[in-house]
Amino acid sequence: MDCCATWFIASGKTRGFIWFCTAEGVSRFDGYGFTNFTTAEGLPHRQANDFLETSKGVYLIATNAGIARLNPYGVGNRIQNPKPGIQNQDDSLFTVYLPDNVKAQRFNVLYEDRDREIWAGSSDGLYKLNETGDGEFELEFVPLGESLVEWSGVYIDEIIKDRRGALWVGTHANGLFRLQANGKIERFTTPNGLPNNAVVSLLEDRDGRIWAGMREPDTGGLCLLKTETDASGSIVERLYTKRDGLPANWIPDLLQTGDGKFWVATIGGLCLWQEPGEAGGSVCKTYTAENGVCDFDVWDLLEDKDGNLWTGSKCGAKKIAGYGFTAFDETDGAMKGFVRTIFENQA
């Protein structure tokens, strides 16, 4: 089955839905059919890049024109007195939050940490979403430093917080930032051992190791990072590339599932990580179209509550269950376009 292209797949926490972020909007899958949300329903931009259901059950969508909060109870629930930075429309399902900086109005990633702080990575900087007394949010800019490149701001692709309380921020061309719990901000770039300055995926595994997936197909790869070093030394303990068996050097996403398996999404297929032994050998068991996965451009990974693995790619959304693969596309009611992210709710 030819699938719609899926950028991101997300799992909600309260209602038992899987969410697909695509280049045409957002699709909600209830296990039987799809409900689509587009600009016709008030989404501020057709490009949906990330989806987050917060610990309080608030639905947030990162788009190319701000952060949209979805009202799951239907149309017509609008804010009577919108604050600066908030856009509302009559009969809209969405409230939209925009920063003052017009260069930062594309949001790429949303993340809630263990302390229930909500972070947002934009096309020009890092923001926190602070909840106000009336249940709304305000965007707070978090300075990281000046851009290293003239053509862009600090374009953020990924955010995680590790068990030591450090926030790691991966950027498109400005390297890797670490915000320590004491407020110290460090930047790591190629002089610190990174193969390039484009960090697009981050993961802390169950052993506390930090992994960074790089973007460039020629100079990228998967980095195992040192967690104790400072910005004066090398941050990379080991770099893995195609020479070690990766399907490609561009690594859009990383996931460790509940059974301990480590999955690596690449633009050359899906990799099930094999710890390199003393005798060497490939670090990947690779899944491609022959196994029911897309041959190229696997962008996002998700494990749902039943232990199924989902992939979002140019081939659409694919569910990898114990018995094999299930594909969903526009013929099933899903929205046409790349599935950028996948999200499962609390149920």
Side-chain angles (χ1 to χ4, degrees):
M1 180 183 294
D2 293 331
C3 292
C4 57
T6 305
W7 287 108
F8 181 84
I9 312 174
S11 153
K13 301 179 178 68
T14 57
R15 294 171 174 246
F17 299 137
I18 302 289
W19 295 83
F20 302 87
C21 295
T22 80
E24 299 292 334
V26 180
S27 289
R28 185 185 69 194
F29 181 55
D30 62 6
Y32 303 97
F34 291 85
T35 301
N36 299 321
F37 301 90
T38 68
T39 52
E41 286 74 42
L43 196 68
H45 196 281
R46 60 190 291 186
Q47 178 80 34
N49 301 313
D50 202 0
F51 187 103
L52 173 70
E53 183 184 2
T54 72
S55 56
K56 294 184 178 181
V58 177
Y59 293 93
L60 299 172
I61 303 167
T63 80
N64 279 15
I67 298 172
R69 189 193 68 175
L70 171 65
N71 169 23
Y73 301 105
V75 299
N77 183 22
R78 61 186 292 263
I79 305 301
Q80 298 298 324
N81 298 300
K83 296 181 179 180
I86 302 176
Q87 293 183 354
N88 300 93
Q89 297 177 1
D90 290 341
D91 300 321
S92 175
L93 281 167
F94 299 96
T95 299
V96 182
Y97 302 92
L98 289 165
D100 294 332
N101 179 9
V102 295
K103 290 173 58 181
Q105 291 189 355
R106 170 179 173 136
F107 282 88
N108 306 304
V109 58
L110 297 165
Y111 176 76
E112 184 176 24
D113 65 26
R114 296 179 181 89
D115 301 318
R116 297 189 174 185
E117 292 184 311
I118 302 171
W119 304 85
S122 79
S123 48
D124 190 16
L126 178 67
Y127 287 84
K128 283 181 67 178
L129 272 75
N130 298 317
E131 190 172 356
T132 62
D134 55 5
E136 292 300 315
F137 293 97
E138 291 180 343
L139 287 168
E140 175 191 352
F141 177 65
V142 181
L144 293 175
E146 297 298 321
S147 175
L148 300 177
V149 292
E150 295 182 0
W151 52 266
S152 177
V154 181
Y155 187 106
I156 294 174
D157 282 309
E158 183 66 302
I159 305 168
I160 65 167
K161 182 178 278 190
D162 67 24
R163 63 190 64 183
R164 293 164 286 271
L167 192 76
W168 298 80
V169 179
T171 74
H172 188 78
N174 283 277
L176 177 66
F177 290 89
R178 181 172 63 186
L179 286 68
Q180 299 279 21
N182 61 9
K184 182 180 180 181
I185 299 176
E186 302 164 294
R187 185 190 335 223
F188 302 95
T189 58
T190 50
N192 303 106
L194 292 177
N196 59 60
N197 289 329
V199 180
V200 294
S201 56
L202 292 164
L203 172 75
E204 181 184 26
D205 67 21
R206 60 175 55 185
D207 297 319
R209 298 179 298 180
I210 305 294
W211 299 83
M214 311 304 292
R215 177 183 172 90
E216 297 301 326
D218 296 326
T219 62
L222 179 62
C223 298
L224 175 60
L225 302 182
K226 301 176 184 177
T227 57
E228 303 300 329
T229 191
D230 59 29
S232 63
S234 174
I235 189 67
V236 178
E237 180 175 323
R238 175 74 189 271
L239 171 65
Y240 299 94
T241 67
K242 290 177 65 176
R243 289 176 294 182
D244 300 293
L246 284 172
N249 290 333
W250 185 339
I251 316 293
D253 199 19
L254 303 166
L255 175 70
Q256 189 168 33
T257 48
D259 57 8
K261 292 179 180 177
F262 181 23
W263 297 89
V264 182
T266 84
I267 63 167
L270 176 64
C271 162
L272 174 58
W273 187 258
Q274 314 288 317
E275 288 289 348
E278 295 181 0
S282 175
V283 297
C284 284
K285 179 180 179 181
T286 300
Y287 295 83
T288 61
E290 293 182 357
N291 312 104
V293 185
C294 202
D295 268 334
F296 52 90
D297 290 0
V298 179
W299 297 111
D300 194 60
L301 302 170
L302 168 80
E303 182 184 24
D304 68 19
K305 64 182 179 63
D306 297 319
N308 300 310
L309 178 69
W310 293 76
T311 65
S313 71
K314 274 193 173 180
C315 301
K318 305 228 177 186
K319 181 177 74 173
I320 308 170
Y323 51 81
F325 293 82
T326 303
F328 300 94
D329 67 5
E330 56 268 30
T331 62
D332 302 293
M335 192 172 301
K336 185 177 180 180
F338 291 93
V339 176
R340 180 66 178 86
T341 53
I342 310 174
F343 185 87
E344 181 186 26
N345 70 16
Q346 292 179 8

